[in-house]
């Protein structure tokens, strides 16, 4: 019996030494937490089945969801100097927190993430895809169709679930649409790569077709005609919009915005003239 008690005592002593040693080595590392630093417009927190207006200073824990409505925006911080900017019409959920970093699910919309040295890591998930940031800065977006868009300003991203692409470097962008190959390319300064305006400066038709090229997944809008027209750039980077014209001068403007927030425009003018030609008839002669 005495031998058994001795063994138990030794085991307890070893366990206590291990716990104390861990505390000495790692006890100074506090758990990471997302703290709300700024709120603009309509932003709500969903927690435990309840939703309320997000407050500055609020801490977001596991399973909490943050939703920025149209025109809403929030800045979240973690660590000493790292931040996550949640843009308008974005929904995210906190998956977990720990001394190694934070994991979130980006359900839709766009975030700008900045992770500085010493602040741990940030993992951004969307389904089976994950983007890992450590000492990096990047824009991350999820489109309505489930497409993922990435653009790296600084550092490298660790990727998983992107069909053969496991890293993205500064100056690169990625488009991963469902059912399509993952596209990796350099970041173009020009978003609106080409606009093929209709030939001629005047027409008697009530519509014209405007074609062009831009970044896949971008939103395209043509204003200035009889009615505004909205479309989307396809997976090959092409767009085509059928634009109705009003009588007289139509100052058309193509507005393109990609899922990561970049925008560009181009303008062109066309005259719609449906008046029949007039003729002068001279009667009589010398």
């Amino acid at each position: 019996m005495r031998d058994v008690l001795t063994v138990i005592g030794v085991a307890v002593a070893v366990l206590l030494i291990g716990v104390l040693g861990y505390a000495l080595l790692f006890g100074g590392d506090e758990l990471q937490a997302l703290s709300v630093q700024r709120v603009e417009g309509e932003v709500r927190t969903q927690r435990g089945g309840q939703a309320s207006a997000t407050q500055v200073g609020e801490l977001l824990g596991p399973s909490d969801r943050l939703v920025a409505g149209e025109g809403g925006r929030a800045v979240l911080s973690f660590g000493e100097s790292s931040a996550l900017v949640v843009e308008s019409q974005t929904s995210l959920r906190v998956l977990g927190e720990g001394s190694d970093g934070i994991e979130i699910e980006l359900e839709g919309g766009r975030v700008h993430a900045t992770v500085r040295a010493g602040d741990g890591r940030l993992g951004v998930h969307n389904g089976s895809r994950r983007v890992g940031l450590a000492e990096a800065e990047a824009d991350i977006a999820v489109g309505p169709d489930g497409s993922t868009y990435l653009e790296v300003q600084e550092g490298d991203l660790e990727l998983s679930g992107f069909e053969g692409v496991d890293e993205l470097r500064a100056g690169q962008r990625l488009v991963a649409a469902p059912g399509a190959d993952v596209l990796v390319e350099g970041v173009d300064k020009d978003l609106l790569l080409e606009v093929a305006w209709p030939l001629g400066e005047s027409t008697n038709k009530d519509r014209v077709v405007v074609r062009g090229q831009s970044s896949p997944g971008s939103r395209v809008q043509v204003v200035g005609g009889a009615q505004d027209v909205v479309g989307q750039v396809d997976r090959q980077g092409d767009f085509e919009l059928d634009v109705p014209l009003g009588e007289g001068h139509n100052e058309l403007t193509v507005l393109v915005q990609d899922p990561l927030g970049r925008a560009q425009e181009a303008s062109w003018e066309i005259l719609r003239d449906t008046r029949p030609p007039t003729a002068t008839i001279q009667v009589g002669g010398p």
Side-chain angles (χ1 to χ4, degrees), residues 26-210:
F26 304 107
D29 293 341
E30 296 182 359
L31 291 178
Q32 297 282 5
L34 280 172
S35 173
V36 180
Q37 297 297 309
R38 187 184 310 163
V39 176
E40 302 171 8
E42 182 184 347
V43 182
R44 299 185 69 79
T45 302
Q46 297 176 3
R47 178 181 297 122
Q50 302 293 323
S52 60
T54 302
Q55 303 295 321
V56 172
E58 182 177 345
L59 297 180
L60 301 179
S63 299
D64 288 350
R65 177 178 281 107
L66 186 84
V67 181
E70 185 171 0
R73 190 171 183 265
V75 179
L76 314 178
S77 69
F78 60 97
E80 292 294 328
S81 55
S82 297
L84 187 68
V85 180
V86 183
E87 300 291 354
S88 173
Q89 296 182 298
T90 296
S91 174
L92 63 84
R93 181 168 56 90
V94 181
L95 298 177
E97 302 170 342
S99 58
D100 189 46
I102 295 173
E103 301 288 324
I104 67 168
E105 177 85 11
L106 181 57
E107 299 169 326
R110 174 168 60 98
V111 297
H112 179 82
T114 304
V115 181
R116 299 304 185 198
D119 286 343
R121 297 173 176 271
L122 174 67
V124 181
H125 299 248
N126 180 249
S128 61
R129 293 171 174 167
R130 181 184 182 275
V131 181
L133 299 91
E135 297 186 47
E137 182 176 357
D139 288 296
I140 307 168
V142 174
D145 64 347
S147 296
T148 303
Y149 304 87
L150 307 175
E151 186 174 304
V152 189
Q153 291 85 40
E154 182 182 330
D156 300 333
L157 306 186
E158 298 175 356
L159 309 180
S160 61
F162 285 88
E163 296 85 27
V165 180
D166 56 11
E167 186 180 52
L168 200 66
R169 299 182 178 275
Q172 292 183 315
R173 70 188 309 274
L174 175 148
V175 179
D181 293 335
V182 177
L183 172 66
V184 177
E185 59 186 5
V187 177
D188 267 313
K189 293 182 179 179
D190 292 326
L191 176 62
L192 195 54
L193 303 179
E194 180 182 349
V195 178
W197 299 106
L199 296 176
E201 297 180 353
S202 64
T203 182
N204 60 1
K205 297 181 179 179
D206 64 349
R207 315 180 79 81
V208 292
V209 176
V210 177

Side-chain angles (χ1 to χ4, degrees), residues 206-286:
D206 64 349
R207 315 180 79 81
V208 292
V209 176
V210 177
R211 299 181 177 88
Q213 293 182 326
S214 185
S215 178
S218 297
R219 181 181 186 271
V220 186
Q221 183 178 17
V222 179
V223 301
Q227 181 181 340
D228 294 349
V229 182
V230 178
Q232 190 173 31
V233 181
D234 65 22
R235 295 177 182 176
Q236 287 70 46
D238 300 317
F239 66 85
E240 179 178 310
L241 297 178
D242 190 23
V243 181
L245 299 177
E247 186 71 23
H249 290 277
N250 291 260
E251 298 181 1
L252 304 181
T253 299
V254 175
L255 307 168
V256 177
Q257 183 175 33
D258 74 4
L260 297 171
R262 291 192 304 158
Q264 194 171 353
E265 64 181 55
S267 297
W268 180 75
E269 185 175 327
I270 185 170
L271 172 67
R272 182 191 178 207
D273 188 356
T274 58
R275 294 172 298 178
T278 59
T280 301
I281 302 175
Q282 186 174 355
V283 181

